């Protein structure tokens, strides 16, 4: 069988390198190269961009990104068993694929990347959420990346694009929408993966805004939203009590009823509260974590 890029089909690659999926590494592989090409297209115009890919596995999405014209792909993979398969892709695209064997949560990729940079990944969901929060909450903005194209469990994707008042609305929506445009680009059924997970998945595409929608200190906003949605059924005057001795008055100054619950409050009001807790240029008066 021939493929779009003249490399062997992924089933053959997996069999030849004995890449049986390991549950503890969250390995649910995409083996359809038409599908990985479609996901790569969601990442936008890749010609002239470096792409950071986390968790390439046998390389289905990596091949999609290279076929879409990525100038250079830096792929970080924890599972050393995938390295020979990825080396074959690197040989087919000379000078365009660099693979680092390691944990994406531990590695700083910036030394290996040249702007403009886009990020694409089909990751285990827990790692994906942690990386997403890190990519969204650096102190300074704009960040090192222009866009993120990430696979999530469908429920997590819905939390990223949710609006106030909905069940899915929470910290992820606020942090994502504060500094980026976020949309669900496509949804995938369990059968798209090998082995099939129990849940549906979705690709979320986020584009970094040139500046946050409203001014606020990232660490303060992150802390407020963690406290507010950590106890989302509580009134804000209770869930945010640990942040300031007179939180009720700060809530009122921000135009937020102290008896309101986090899910009723929009991004702008949370940013106003963050500014009241930490006025620009002032160093961290916020208590706790
Ligand atoms: N991108 C491939 C695909 O779409 O078929 C593989 C996707 S699979 C869901 C997730 C991949 O992430 C696996 O290859 C796994 O080994 C890798 N992985 C898991 N945790 C990782 C981590 N902390 N850092 C880097 N890679 C990781």
């Amino acid at each position: 069988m021939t493929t779009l890029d003249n490399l062997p089909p992924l089933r053959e690659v997996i069999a030849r390198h004995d890449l049986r999926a390991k549950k503890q590494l969250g390995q649910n592989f995409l083996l359809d190269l038409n599908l990985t090409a479609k996901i790569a297209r969601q990442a936008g115009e890749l010609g002239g961009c470096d792409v950071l890919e986390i968790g390439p596995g046998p390389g289905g999405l990596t091949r999609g990104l290279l076929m879409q014209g990525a100038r250079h792909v830096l792929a970080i993979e924890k599972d050393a068993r995938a390295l020979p398969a990825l080396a074959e892709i690197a040989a087919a695209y000379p000078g365009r694929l660099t693979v680092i064997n390691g944990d994406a949560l531990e590695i700083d990729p910036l030394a290996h990347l040249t702007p403009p940079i886009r990020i694409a990944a089909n990751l285990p969901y827990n790692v994906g959420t942690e990386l997403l929060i890190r990519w969204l909450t650096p102190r300074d903005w704009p960040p090192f990346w222009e866009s993120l194209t990430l696979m999530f469990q469908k429920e997590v994707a819905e939390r990223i694009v949710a609006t106030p008042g909905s069940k899915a609305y929470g910290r992820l929506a606020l942090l994502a929408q504060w500094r980026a445009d976020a949309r669900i680009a496509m949804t995938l059924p369990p059968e798209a993966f090998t082995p099939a997970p129990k849940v549906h998945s979705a690709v979320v595409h986020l584009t970094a805004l040139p500046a946050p929608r409203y001014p606020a200190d990232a660490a303060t906003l992150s802390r407020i939203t963690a406290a507010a949605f950590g106890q989302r059924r509580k009134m804000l005057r209770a869930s945010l009590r640990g942040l300031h001795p007179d939180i009720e008055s700060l809530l009122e100054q921000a135009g937020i009823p102290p008896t309101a619950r986090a899910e009723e409050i929009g991004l702008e009001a949370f940013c106003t509260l963050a500014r009241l807790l930490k006025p620009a240029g002032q160093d961290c008066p916020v208590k706790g974590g």
Side-chain angles (χ1 to χ4, degrees), residues 10-277:
L10 284 157
R11 276 187 203 287
E12 192 185 310
V13 172
I14 284 178
R16 192 153 40 81
H17 295 289
D18 198 17
L19 286 175
R20 264 166 301 177
K22 282 192 181 166
K23 207 171 173 182
Q24 67 271 32
L25 283 170
Q27 293 183 334
N28 302 97
F29 299 132
L30 291 166
L31 302 186
D32 176 350
L33 288 164
N34 287 306
L35 184 57
T36 60
K38 191 169 167 192
I39 296 169
R41 281 197 293 278
Q42 307 304 322
E45 179 51 52
L46 299 183
C49 281
D50 275 12
V51 180
L52 171 62
E53 186 194 359
I54 312 288
L61 181 56
T62 320
R63 286 162 65 171
L65 294 165
L66 289 162
M67 276 188 281
Q68 289 309 310
R71 175 178 64 194
H72 179 236
V73 176
L74 173 68
I76 301 178
E77 172 56 59
K78 195 170 176 180
D79 187 354
R81 295 179 311 152
L83 299 183
L86 295 168
E88 288 172 8
I89 304 173
Y93 290 93
R96 290 177 58 201
L97 172 62
T98 305
V99 180
I100 298 180
N101 180 208
D103 185 339
L105 295 168
E106 314 274 317
I107 289 170
D108 178 3
L110 274 181
H112 307 272
L113 292 164
T114 308
I117 298 162
R118 295 184 185 270
I119 300 180
N122 171 22
L123 266 176
Y125 301 125
N126 54 345
V127 182
T129 310
E130 177 156 359
L131 284 171
L132 172 64
I133 290 179
R134 284 191 199 179
W135 288 327
L136 290 169
T137 53
R139 204 191 62 181
D140 299 321
W141 201 262
F144 73 90
W145 51 270
E146 292 199 343
S147 70
L148 309 173
T149 306
L150 307 173
M151 182 85 70
F152 286 103
Q153 185 173 328
K154 190 160 165 263
E155 283 68 24
V156 177
E158 283 164 353
R159 281 165 46 203
I160 296 169
V161 302
T163 48
S166 64
K167 238 175 92 186
Y169 180 64
R171 184 161 186 253
L172 268 184
L174 281 158
L175 295 181
Q177 296 170 37
W178 176 43
R179 287 172 147 182
D181 278 326
R183 65 181 169 81
I184 293 183
M186 57 193 280
T187 54
L188 290 90
E191 315 79 78
F193 300 85
T194 304
K198 289 197 175 68
V199 294
H200 281 67
S201 300
V203 175
V204 181
H205 183 74
L206 298 107
T207 314
L209 295 171
R213 263 177 237 283
Y214 309 102
D217 171 63
T220 309
L221 187 63
S222 179
R223 215 168 300 159
I224 293 173
T225 52
F229 288 96
Q231 306 181 69
R232 60 187 293 140
R233 297 307 311 151
K234 281 199 176 170
M235 293 178 190
L236 286 167
R237 68 175 176 208
S239 58
L240 299 184
R241 198 169 38 200
L243 296 185
H244 192 275
D246 192 7
I247 194 67
E248 211 159 322
S249 134
L250 289 194
L251 284 164
E252 270 161 8
Q253 283 178 60
I256 302 172
T259 52
R261 292 182 170 77
E263 66 206 32
E264 300 162 37
I265 304 305
L267 173 61
E268 187 172 6
F270 273 114
C271 290
T272 307
L273 182 63
R275 289 197 303 278
L276 289 166
L277 272 165

